[in-house]
Each structure stands twice: as structure tokens, then as C-alpha cells.
Amino acid sequence: GLTQLGLKDALLWAQTKGDAYIVTDVKERNLEAIRTIDGEYASLKHLVIPQVYSYDEYREVQKLGYDKIILTLYRMRIDPYELIGFAQRQSPFAVTMPWQVAESGLAYYLMQNQTLVYAHTINDQAVFKELQKLGVYGVYTDFLLPQR
């Protein structure tokens, strides 16, 4: 009963909702894809939250004028102090990380700096509740639904 949407239709759908965003998850040629969105859908780019995989990509996407950017850590070698400093200077919309990294205490320190932290991949509500105690704001999941 679901309808598959292309990028344009997804952006138009998000526009009608008023509180929905499209988060990118481009595995190859990420900057090229984000530049394409910036060029072809400039009037709707405020509905896009680019997900980037390095500090360099973050800076490049920031130059394109995106104000909400998610830094994803799973491809990065992380120096916790460098990451915390980066978050303090750049104020990313969010940082997402494997749950094991969040569990290490890094989520707590980022949360102290008002940085939203997401963990992946969490498919158990009890695990999510435990991670929330450690500073995780939200999770990437295969099937958990929001509790209302």
C-alpha cells in the first residue's frame, strides 16, 4: 500500500506536510548528489537535510547554504576531542553514530554542547530508552514507530 517516490515527488510531499524533511543517504558521490539537489531543486532545498561523511564534506555542503547538516561518523576515524571541538565551532544539526560509539560516552558530551545525537541501527525500544539516558536524541531504525 505504499507509493515509491522520486526525489522531486518526495520534496513536493514534504512541502505539503510543513514539518517533514528529506534526509539524504547517498553512499557514493555524495557531494555530487547534494550539488544536484542544490542546482535542480533550489527552491525546495530548505526541505533537505544533507547527511555528510567527513568534516570536509560538511564544510563543502555548508558553503552551498544548507543550515541543517547531519555529520555521520561510521566512515570516519574519530578523535572524540576533535569531534566535540568541531561540534562546538560548527553547531551541526545532528551527529549520527553507531550505537556502540554513543554508548561510549561520546553522545553525552555532544548533548552537553546542544548537539542532537542519533544512533544506528536500533530496532528495540528498550535499547533506545537506554541510549536516551546516555544522551541519544533519536535513532535510525528499520521498523520502530514513534510512540505518541
Side-chain angles (χ1 to χ4, degrees):
L2 302 176
T3 302
Q4 188 173 4
L5 300 176
L7 179 58
K8 182 179 181 181
D9 289 332
L11 289 168
L12 292 172
W13 171 86
Q15 187 178 37
T16 66
K17 294 298 175 189
D19 64 349
Y21 295 91
I22 305 300
V23 176
T24 65
D25 188 18
V26 180
K27 302 299 185 195
E28 294 181 25
R29 300 185 350 225
N30 188 41
L31 285 176
E32 183 180 328
I34 294 168
R35 285 184 183 116
T36 298
I37 294 168
D38 184 62
E40 293 182 20
Y41 304 102
S43 67
L44 298 173
K45 84 179 207 179
H46 65 282
L47 301 170
V48 176
I49 302 175
Q51 186 168 236
V52 299
Y53 302 96
S54 70
Y55 298 129
D56 290 338
E57 279 191 358
Y58 185 95
R59 286 185 279 276
E60 288 299 315
V61 170
Q62 195 175 42
K63 287 178 192 174
L64 294 173
Y66 288 92
D67 58 345
K68 294 180 180 171
I69 304 170
I70 297 174
L71 177 64
T72 267
L73 303 183
Y74 78 91
R75 292 185 186 174
M76 296 175 62
R77 279 219 154 119
I78 307 160
D79 175 320
Y81 298 107
E82 183 181 7
L83 177 64
I84 292 166
F86 177 85
Q88 288 172 334
R89 288 186 308 279
Q90 298 294 328
S91 300
F93 175 71
V95 174
T96 186
M97 60 189 66
W99 64 268
Q100 299 93 329
V101 176
E103 208 173 44
S104 74
L106 187 54
Y108 174 81
Y109 288 106
L110 289 168
M111 178 203 55
Q112 295 301 307
N113 291 306
Q114 309 303 313
T115 301
L116 297 178
V117 176
Y118 288 82
H120 58 82
T121 300
I122 306 300
N123 291 320
D124 182 305
Q125 193 69 39
V127 172
F128 178 32
K129 293 284 185 209
E130 289 303 311
L131 287 170
Q132 283 181 304
K133 293 176 189 174
L134 300 173
V136 171
Y137 176 79
V139 295
Y140 289 38
T141 183
D142 296 316
F143 52 77
L144 288 180
L145 297 175
Q147 292 185 342
R148 303 205 185 249

